[in-house]
Amino acid sequence: MHGRPRKAPTDEEQEASSNKAVKLRDLQSQVLQFHRNKIYTKEAIEISAKLLESNPEHYTGWNYRKLAVEHLLDHLPENGVDSESIQSILDEELRLVENALKRNFKSYGAWHHRKWILSKGHSSTDRELRLLSKFQKLDSRNFHAWNYRRFISALKKIPDEEELQYTTNMIYDNFSNYSAWHNRSVLLSNLLEKGGKGYDDRGTVLGEEYEFVRNALFTDPDDQSGWFYHLWLLEQTLQREPLFLSSWPPNGSTLCLSIDGYLNSQQSWPMLHFQSKARTFPLILYFSEAVEGVSSSTVTVESEYNAGGDLIWRPLSPKKFGFSQAWLTDLKFSDKVHSLESCPVKITVAHFPGIISSSGMPCSQSCHLSFTVCVPANDQERSEVQTAHRISLEEENFKALATQSEEAKLVHSLSKLEIEKVNRPTTCKQSLETISNEIAHCQELLSSTDCKIGKLTLARLWMARNTLITYGSTDDGTEVHYEDILALYRDLMKMDPVHICYYEDEYSLALWKQATSNLVSLLKHCYQYQETSSSPSMNPSLCVRLNGLSLSRIGSMEHLLWVQMLDLSHNKLRSIEGLETLQLLSCLNLSNNKICSFTALEPLKKLKSLQVLDISNNEIGAHSIDTRRYLCSSPLNHALVSEWHFDKFASDDVTLKDHWDAYLIFDDLNLIQLEIMGNAIVDDRLRSFLFKLMPSLKWIDGESKCD
Amino acid sequence: MAKMTASKTQEEQWMVQNQVFRIYDLVYRLPPHAQSVNFELRRDDHIEYLTRSLTQLGPNFTVLDANRPWLCYWIIHSIALLGDCVDDNLESDAIDFLRRCQDPNGGYGGGPGQMPHLATTYAAINALLTLGGHKSLSSINREKLYSFLLRMKDTSGGFRMHDGGEVDVRACYTAISVASVLNILDERLTQNVGDYIISCQTYEGGISGEPGAEAHGGYTFCGLAAMVLINEVHRLDLPGLINWVVFRQGIECGFQGRTNKLVDGCYSFWQGGVAAIIQRLHLMIKEQLGLSSTFKFDCITESDDDSSDTDREKPMLEGLNNNGYNFIKGSKGMRPLFNSMALQQYILLCTQEEAGFRDKPGKRRDHYHTCYVLSGLSVCHHCNVKEAETPPLPKDVMGPYSNLLEPVHPLYNIVLDKYYEAHEFFARL
């Protein structure tokens, strides 16, 4: 079935082609000889032309031609140096290249020779463009031709607008021609950047482009080129300044530093409590996208008692090349300050330029926020009174919030603590229209065909629209479509199971956003935690519960920076990237997820306040022995960890080597309570290892240390 | 909305698609025995075809007159991949022939008497290294070659293909690859090459031949491999590159070279090779993604009992010239990012002829495609083992296990044993 029968060539054909080969060999050796001996006679040059016309790949031949041209130009008769004779020499070269390209238009040597002649200032723009049209008609994807086209348009200073029109024509001719779409995106980027006539209004230009690409998408929704361009357009439409979204401590709050120990006592707006032994508290800034350049030279902090000069800002969850959505610094009050009634702190984000998003957009609007800090006197004594008791995360201990409860009010206040939207750029109104328009068209397309990429695009468009609405300056109550987005992703998971993990992640991000981005839905996930059996002196705590939602990934944290108690149980989490942003977290429930190694818990290492952790019923140790550990720091593979306290465990039967991955995560934590049962790795040896590792730890799976 | 008719591109795509699907359909409906025959690599026939071509080619091959070292490399490398070697006479003739292509001032031309050219230099060096042995390896004039490479260096940082020739990513790769494998790479050669290659990575994620052009499989391989060899691969946007390359494997099961182009067997290596290189860049990728140091990719596990032994750090050789050696001695940290079985299916059922390989059904076999299809097949066979020398499991090889090809060094595309021999030879010089 593979080989089709080959037609045996006839004897005559064979002979003819052998003769041709002999002739070509002969031509070649002559040209090489001319090249070596620098012979540039008319006859020699003609022979080289014959060679190149039959074998345009012969780069030595092309070099010979260049030398010959230089020679001829140098040896024009004294009185005859006129443009005409120069022209005839160069014209001959252009003719030769054209013939050679007819033979093989993928010949690097031939195209390069033409560039060389052109850079001598010869030939007309028209002539070159005509030639290009001819070749681009024959093979519209030939990258030599496209490269040459860009060369010519740069050399002849052809306006980008004209070249854009050319891509339009090419696309009309064949809308699947990705080379044309690609060149279009390059040209359009230039034009938008320069912002000349007709291109100063980005929104309108992009709107027209959407309309243009739609023709291709509607003709065949399965064609790749159009969608690739569509995705590029969407990216351009969403490109905007990074915004400073929220902070902790929140704007307008009063922060009470104490060393209360254990779960922070009841919070009621605007009085927030934060326990701190070292009189430090974290200051967190959260942006709409990953940024770099957050430092004491872009963010100013004014406070009477803030000792210590320049603050060191650290990216909390560094993305590519050091960009991060969340940035952290520690504010410290010196020990000399015994008690403080109130100390106002004023912060100006982007006071000076330098904060830049990964797409290169600067954060240009400076934003102010202020809060007050107080340090009550004698807090040491109080702390000794309170002793920790075991937390029970049983369902019965959670109660939905009553509408008028203190907690509901607190959430209410906290949710309004976003940074003022007044300063936000209003330009996105047009983008919003463009995207809404695209949504309508995409729906129209999907009404007649059931295509994956169409559904995915619709979901992306809706998400993009929501982003514009939530980060925009006007909150006109436009309807958001989270339910529709979720339905689309559920559909896609069924239609295209190969990419299910991607869809699950996107689904999770949408669901997370839906649950956290407005007060009404956030309140639905807020619960009062109070142990039914505990003494009345124990204050109820506020818990955010995003449990049982099939989340596979953790989403944006802008409204959750204040959370101290979080329930993510009964999801599908494999990793917990993102949790490191919640610096106040003291109680975390991750039970019944799909976490399969201790090392997946690494973000916890950054949570200095964490005291209660439930990772029961995950898959740690359930999969065959982890041979992937060379990826992590291990005692055998030097480390991020500065020192390994081998001697601490030397006398035990529990060796550090067996549990180095647990060591890596838990050594930095100060847990009081840990639930770990229901993981294949757990045994008594591990439990005793963990007790030894964390002196603060009182209970593992309900067993206390002394038992 | 005006309905247009299908574009020419689409018609061609549908035609190829239908042809490919028809082949799969036919094969999968055959009785088991007949089916298994179709998945067999016709090793002996391929070797015969290749060996014959090395001695005698028909007159139609005159178009390759300026590429004769390439023919040597395509054929000799293919034979080596198939686990065979050429006989002594042929080997001796090939070495002599390539010696005659070597320019007195360094580098190799497309044939005796032609100017030296970077691409044919790469082909000649790779062919000589694949032949191996003292006579072959010592026929290379490294000092002159170094001065040739230096002469080809362009002010942009890139390299020129030949005196007065074009500058592109292909030239950068071939120059860096030969310098690295011959142990003559130094900072004068590497200076600013990285800048040039970075300027060719497009927003799509892949790498183009020259700045401003669209991303392309062959150039993406060249750019990525060169960046690894000069130890600057961290400067590329690797997540973007991955995103581009994984979408180049299509429903026909083979790879395309660019967005919305037809599938072509030779990209089994160009794109498959990119995927193979990426498997060893896990640490860099993790860093760029901002993943925590303990994050683990879905990785290759060989057996349950290899715990910490394999993790022990291997001795790394120092110096620019050992980047290629250290690279292959390191472990793969992640699973292949392409569908190896699907690609093997495309290769065996759609590109294999009675002897030799082709681009796609309907095209004729040639030596170029035979070389790069086989190289791609080798990448497929060995993509699931952690260490370069470990033999793959039968489940990694489509068809009978006897289909198994020799492993290659993905940065140079030289059969691994031959690479080690050359590395040892030139390390002493």
Side-chain angles (χ1 to χ4, degrees):
Chain A
M1 58 188 298
H2 292 284
R4 285 152 298 109
R6 278 201 183 105
K7 212 178 84 199
T10 64
D11 288 351
E12 293 94 76
E13 280 170 338
Q14 238 166 353
E15 204 187 315
S17 87
S18 310
N19 284 341
K20 232 174 92 188
V22 171
K23 249 172 142 174
L24 205 57
R25 269 284 144 80
D26 185 44
L27 283 176
Q28 180 180 247
S29 58
Q30 287 187 61
V31 171
L32 291 178
Q33 200 202 332
F34 300 148
H35 180 59
R36 211 167 25 247
N37 300 326
K38 302 189 171 57
I39 297 169
Y40 306 116
T41 60
K42 196 162 175 268
E43 294 72 32
I45 294 175
E46 269 168 21
I47 288 172
S48 71
K50 274 189 198 149
L51 173 67
L52 289 166
E53 276 167 353
S54 0
N55 183 9
E57 290 276 271
H58 211 290
Y59 62 93
T60 311
W62 289 115
N63 262 51
Y64 169 75
R65 293 293 292 199
K66 291 190 185 75
L67 294 170
V69 167
E70 301 277 13
H71 176 87
L72 293 179
L73 292 177
D74 286 350
H75 291 80
L76 287 171
E78 283 288 324
N79 53 352
V81 186
D82 53 88
S83 59
E84 221 166 280
S85 41
I86 297 177
Q87 191 164 333
S88 83
I89 293 169
L90 296 176
D91 270 343
E92 174 56 22
E93 298 305 302
L94 293 177
R95 191 196 58 77
L96 174 62
V97 171
E98 198 168 333
N99 287 342
L101 288 175
K102 276 181 198 150
R103 162 84 45 160
N104 175 6
F105 63 169
K106 289 183 175 175
S107 162
Y108 284 91
W111 287 107
H112 186 67
H113 194 63
R114 200 169 186 94
K115 285 187 186 172
W116 183 79
I117 302 158
L118 264 287
S119 52
K120 293 211 158 290
H122 185 64
S123 185
S124 71
T125 312
D126 273 357
R127 177 176 175 171
E128 294 312 301
L129 293 184
R130 265 203 311 277
L131 176 93
L132 270 170
S133 308
K134 206 161 81 190
F135 283 116
Q136 292 194 297
K137 208 154 256 156
L138 284 172
D139 178 1
S140 59
R141 297 297 307 270
N142 184 312
F143 66 79
H144 297 277
W146 282 102
N147 283 343
Y148 188 66
R149 187 162 198 105
R150 283 182 284 265
F151 168 81
I152 289 295
S153 77
L155 187 75
K156 300 286 184 184
K157 303 201 170 47
I158 300 174
D160 285 345
E161 287 88 339
E162 276 177 35
E163 284 301 288
L164 197 71
Q165 182 56 44
Y166 180 76
T167 66
T168 311
N169 299 343
M170 288 294 271
I171 291 164
Y172 274 134
D173 190 47
N174 176 351
F175 62 81
S176 312
N177 184 348
Y178 177 70
S179 297
W181 288 110
H182 174 266
N183 208 35
R184 192 174 183 84
S185 61
V186 172
L187 292 164
L188 209 61
S189 302
N190 287 344
L191 285 165
L192 287 172
E193 201 170 314
K194 278 185 260 165
K197 190 171 170 286
Y199 294 92
D200 45 352
D201 181 5
R202 198 183 169 84
T204 310
V205 174
L206 292 176
E208 286 166 4
E209 287 303 301
Y210 277 113
E211 200 177 319
F212 183 62
V213 74
R214 204 177 299 136
N215 287 306
L217 300 181
F218 271 68
T219 310
D220 177 21
D222 287 327
D223 194 63
Q224 301 164 30
S225 303
W227 290 111
F228 215 113
Y229 189 70
H230 192 273
L231 196 58
W232 179 79
L233 279 178
L234 184 57
E235 219 169 273
Q236 303 306 305
T237 314
L238 287 178
Q239 209 180 68
R240 69 213 145 86
E241 285 194 11
L243 300 171
F244 167 52
L245 294 180
S246 59
S247 69
W248 199 90
N251 189 19
S253 63
T254 300
L255 182 69
C256 211
L257 286 190
S258 60
I259 52 168
D260 256 342
Y262 218 33
L263 285 183
N264 282 308
S265 54
Q266 194 176 16
Q267 315 267 355
S268 72
W269 182 256
M271 196 63 105
L272 304 175
H273 291 267
F274 183 74
Q275 60 151 97
S276 159
K277 292 200 173 74
R279 290 169 178 265
T280 49
F281 65 93
L283 171 56
I284 306 157
L285 302 180
Y286 198 83
F287 294 85
S288 61
E289 58 187 297
V291 295
E292 66 167 1
V294 174
S295 70
S296 56
S297 56
T298 52
V299 178
T300 53
V301 177
E302 295 167 60
S303 139
E304 201 178 332
Y305 293 97
N306 177 35
D310 278 359
L311 294 167
I312 308 290
W313 286 94
R314 302 188 298 276
L316 256 177
S317 28
K319 291 265 155 32
K320 209 162 63 185
F321 305 122
F323 290 83
S324 173
Q325 252 188 303
W327 288 78
L328 168 76
T329 192
D330 294 310
L331 286 184
K332 186 173 168 61
F333 285 86
S334 103
D335 292 336
K336 285 173 205 144
V337 186
H338 281 301
S339 75
L340 264 178
E341 276 297 299
S342 67
C343 168
V345 181
K346 268 192 188 163
I347 293 160
T348 311
V349 180
H351 197 176
F352 299 103
I355 299 178
I356 293 166
S357 76
S358 50
S359 60
M361 299 288 280
C363 181
S364 63
Q365 300 280 347
S366 57
C367 274
H368 304 280
L369 74 105
S370 58
F371 53 86
T372 310
V373 184
C374 62
V375 184
N378 303 328
D379 46 8
Q380 252 118 0
E381 287 164 34
R382 267 180 57 201
S383 73
E384 276 158 26
V385 181
Q386 218 174 31
T387 50
H389 67 281
R390 187 166 177 267
I391 300 283
S392 158
L393 296 172
E394 295 300 313
E395 200 56 46
E396 60 196 26
N397 292 335
F398 291 99
K399 266 191 291 201
L401 296 189
T403 5
Q404 287 310 313
S405 68
E406 278 300 310
E407 288 88 353
K409 282 185 207 153
L410 177 67
V411 176
H412 195 90
S413 327
L414 287 166
S415 77
K416 288 203 164 158
L417 290 179
E418 275 178 72
I419 307 310
E420 291 283 314
K421 285 184 171 180
V422 255
N423 285 334
R424 298 220 177 138
T426 50
T427 46
C428 61
K429 185 143 193 192
Q430 195 171 19
S431 306
L432 198 60
E433 265 167 38
T434 309
I435 287 178
S436 303
N437 195 23
E438 273 314 287
I439 288 172
H441 285 293
C442 210
Q443 284 170 320
E444 186 195 332
L445 177 69
L446 287 172
S447 67
S448 60
T449 163
D450 203 30
C451 84
K452 282 187 297 191
I453 184 75
K455 288 192 175 188
L456 181 59
T457 303
L458 182 58
R460 283 172 173 165
L461 284 166
W462 263 330
M463 274 306 265
R465 185 169 169 275
N466 289 347
T467 309
L468 288 176
I469 291 171
T470 46
Y471 294 164
S473 57
T474 47
D475 210 348
D476 52 5
T478 326
E479 196 191 347
V480 286
H481 289 265
Y482 288 111
E483 280 309 325
D484 299 292
I485 296 169
L486 297 174
L488 281 170
Y489 281 120
R490 274 193 294 264
D491 244 22
L492 283 164
M493 288 179 216
K494 275 187 226 124
M495 279 173 83
D496 183 16
V498 176
H499 297 108
I500 190 160
C501 289
Y502 175 77
Y503 299 132
E504 277 179 359
D505 280 1
E506 294 301 305
Y507 176 90
S508 302
L509 292 182
L511 188 59
W512 186 280
K513 198 107 190 164
Q514 180 191 36
T516 64
S517 65
N518 75 66
L519 178 66
V520 180
S521 57
L522 186 56
L523 272 174
K524 282 189 208 146
H525 294 284
C526 289
Y527 286 78
Q528 187 194 61
Y529 170 80
Q530 187 164 33
E531 279 173 44
T532 41
S533 56
S534 77
S535 59
S537 67
M538 167 70 190
N539 286 321
S541 309
L542 179 57
C543 179
V544 173
R545 305 189 77 192
L546 294 163
N547 53 335
L549 296 174
S550 300
L551 297 171
S552 64
R553 190 176 157 182
I554 285 169
S556 121
M557 294 290 186
E558 67 207 72
H559 298 285
L560 300 175
L561 296 178
W562 50 272
V563 174
Q564 299 181 339
M565 197 172 184
L566 179 64
D567 181 0
L568 289 170
S569 63
H570 297 275
N571 279 305
K572 293 183 187 169
L573 294 172
R574 280 178 285 263
S575 113
I576 55 167
E577 305 284 330
L579 278 187
E580 66 280 353
T581 313
L582 302 185
Q583 288 291 305
L584 274 65
L585 210 56
S586 59
C587 175
L588 174 64
N589 187 354
L590 288 170
S591 65
N592 295 287
N593 275 290
K594 293 185 178 300
I595 292 162
C596 66
S597 68
F598 280 124
T599 46
L601 299 172
E602 209 212 1
L604 300 183
K605 291 173 67 170
K606 290 188 180 162
L607 302 181
K608 301 298 175 204
S609 307
L610 193 64
Q611 293 174 324
V612 179
L613 175 65
D614 187 347
I615 47 171
S616 58
N617 299 314
N618 272 281
E619 298 171 7
I620 303 172
H623 303 287
S624 60
I625 287 180
D626 205 291
T627 54
R628 305 173 272 182
R629 48 175 71 165
Y630 56 86
L631 275 177
C632 333
S633 38
S634 90
L636 305 162
N637 153 343
H638 63 80
L640 291 166
V641 184
S642 47
E643 38 185 332
W644 290 86
H645 306 285
F646 284 100
D647 41 327
K648 189 163 159 190
F649 298 91
S651 59
D652 286 288
D653 56 340
V654 186
T655 62
L656 182 53
K657 187 171 168 281
D658 291 338
H659 296 298
W660 68 269
D661 46 356
Y663 177 93
L664 197 68
I665 301 305
F666 292 106
D667 189 41
D668 284 357
L669 294 178
N670 298 303
L671 296 183
I672 293 175
Q673 177 183 337
L674 175 66
E675 314 296 326
I676 199 172
M677 65 168 88
N679 286 292
I681 201 169
V682 179
D683 56 16
D684 288 340
R685 284 155 53 97
L686 178 69
R687 287 199 182 94
S688 71
F689 173 81
L690 290 170
F691 271 130
K692 197 144 205 162
L693 184 61
M694 288 179 281
S696 56
L697 195 59
K698 293 192 173 169
W699 298 278
I700 295 182
D701 296 331
E703 310 256 322
S704 75
K705 198 177 201 166
C706 10
D707 291 352
Chain B
M1 186 64 48
K3 276 276 175 193
M4 292 195 269
T5 51
S7 66
K8 199 172 133 222
T9 309
Q10 283 176 303
E11 280 168 12
E12 287 167 358
Q13 169 66 26
W14 291 332
M15 246 161 63
V16 172
Q17 226 168 282
N18 286 340
Q19 263 172 313
V20 168
F21 291 165
R22 210 162 47 228
I23 290 173
Y24 294 158
D25 195 45
L26 269 170
V27 172
Y28 280 102
R29 273 192 289 162
L30 288 172
H33 173 70
Q35 204 182 81
S36 70
V37 170
N38 278 282
F39 286 102
E40 263 171 44
L41 183 72
R42 285 181 275 278
R43 192 181 292 262
D44 293 342
D45 300 329
H46 297 312
I47 293 175
E48 200 213 315
Y49 157 68
L50 291 160
T51 312
R52 203 160 16 86
S53 315
L54 203 53
T55 34
Q56 180 72 54
L57 286 173
N60 294 332
F61 283 86
T62 45
V63 290
L64 287 169
D65 259 344
N67 286 307
R68 292 169 70 189
W70 274 116
L71 273 169
C72 294
Y73 168 61
W74 295 332
I75 294 170
I76 292 167
H77 178 56
S78 297
I79 293 174
L81 280 166
L82 290 162
D84 206 347
C85 52
V86 297
D87 71 46
D88 292 351
N89 286 336
L90 214 48
E91 178 178 321
S92 170
D93 288 352
I95 296 169
D96 287 340
F97 171 72
L98 291 169
R99 200 200 307 271
R100 287 195 294 131
C101 294
Q102 188 166 211
D103 190 85
N105 292 313
Y108 291 77
Q114 297 184 34
M115 300 168 59
H117 187 286
L118 275 175
T120 47
T121 299
Y122 167 83
I125 297 296
N126 274 10
L128 288 167
L129 266 50
T130 306
L131 290 171
H134 187 269
K135 183 185 174 193
S136 174
L137 300 181
S138 58
S139 74
I140 303 164
N141 188 337
R142 289 158 74 246
E143 289 75 25
K144 294 280 189 199
L145 182 60
Y146 175 77
S147 70
F148 166 63
L149 294 179
L150 216 50
R151 283 204 306 281
M152 293 306 111
K153 186 98 181 151
D154 183 66
T155 45
S156 65
F159 283 86
R160 221 162 254 299
M161 268 299 176
H162 57 94
D163 194 16
E166 65 276 10
V167 178
D168 61 21
V169 171
R170 205 170 43 120
C172 296
Y173 167 66
T174 49
I176 295 295
S177 171
V178 296
S180 165
V181 80
L182 296 178
N183 195 20
I184 52 173
L185 191 61
D186 66 6
E187 265 142 37
R188 286 176 78 190
L189 290 174
T190 59
Q191 197 175 24
N192 300 337
V193 181
D195 295 347
Y196 182 80
I197 295 174
I198 296 280
S199 74
C200 293
Q201 184 170 28
T202 79
Y203 69 84
E204 303 145 278
I207 299 171
S208 61
E210 48 186 85
E214 67 188 288
H216 179 288
Y219 292 113
T220 302
F221 171 84
C222 290
L224 179 67
M227 289 299 264
V228 174
L229 289 173
I230 62 173
N231 215 6
E232 293 182 31
V233 71
H234 58 277
R235 299 179 60 199
L236 287 170
D237 173 6
L238 293 172
L241 196 145
I242 291 172
N243 189 48
W244 182 78
V245 77
V246 296
F247 284 107
R248 305 281 72 75
Q249 187 173 25
I251 47 174
E252 311 86 347
C253 296
F255 276 105
Q256 61 181 188
R258 286 182 272 159
T259 308
N260 221 357
K261 289 271 284 181
L262 298 174
V263 62
D264 179 344
C266 74
Y267 292 106
S268 306
F269 180 74
W270 299 124
Q271 309 280 29
V274 167
I277 294 171
I278 282 170
Q279 281 184 274
R280 292 174 191 274
L281 299 179
H282 49 276
L283 292 175
M284 222 86 78
I285 292 162
K286 207 167 51 162
E287 198 180 315
Q288 290 194 359
L289 283 173
L291 296 175
S292 62
S293 61
T294 53
F295 176 84
K296 280 175 276 183
F297 289 108
D298 185 13
C299 302
I300 299 166
T301 42
E302 266 142 28
S303 61
D304 283 0
D305 57 359
D306 74 330
S307 49
S308 44
D309 313 21
T310 49
D311 304 336
R312 201 160 294 135
E313 276 184 90
K314 302 199 176 65
M316 289 287 171
L317 300 180
E318 296 214 350
L320 197 54
N321 281 291
N322 284 313
N323 287 336
Y325 182 79
N326 293 336
F327 179 81
I328 199 71
K329 282 296 181 187
S331 299
K332 287 179 199 151
M334 55 207 270
R335 284 189 182 286
L337 292 172
F338 68 104
N339 188 335
S340 162
M341 278 300 147
L343 182 57
Q344 292 185 51
Q345 175 175 315
Y346 178 76
I347 289 174
L348 292 171
L349 299 182
C350 298
T351 70
Q352 185 171 219
E353 299 204 16
E354 299 300 332
F357 292 84
R358 63 189 172 191
D359 162 347
K360 60 172 86 42
K363 297 268 181 171
R364 295 283 295 270
R365 70 176 180 193
D366 60 49
H367 301 97
Y368 165 81
H369 282 91
T370 302
C371 168
Y372 287 104
V373 166
L374 282 172
S375 305
L377 188 58
S378 163
V379 165
C380 289
H381 288 163
H382 298 274
C383 67
N384 274 311
V385 292
K386 202 158 92 178
E387 314 290 330
E389 291 90 352
T390 321
L393 298 172
K395 70 174 172 55
D396 297 331
V397 179
M398 182 172 263
Y401 193 67
S402 58
N403 278 2
L404 182 66
L405 296 178
E406 294 295 312
V408 294
H409 191 310
L411 296 175
Y412 307 107
N413 199 14
I414 297 175
V415 165
L416 202 53
D417 285 345
K418 304 292 186 178
Y419 164 74
Y420 284 140
E421 182 194 338
H423 181 265
E424 199 180 323
F425 183 89
F426 294 112
R428 283 187 272 116
L429 297 181

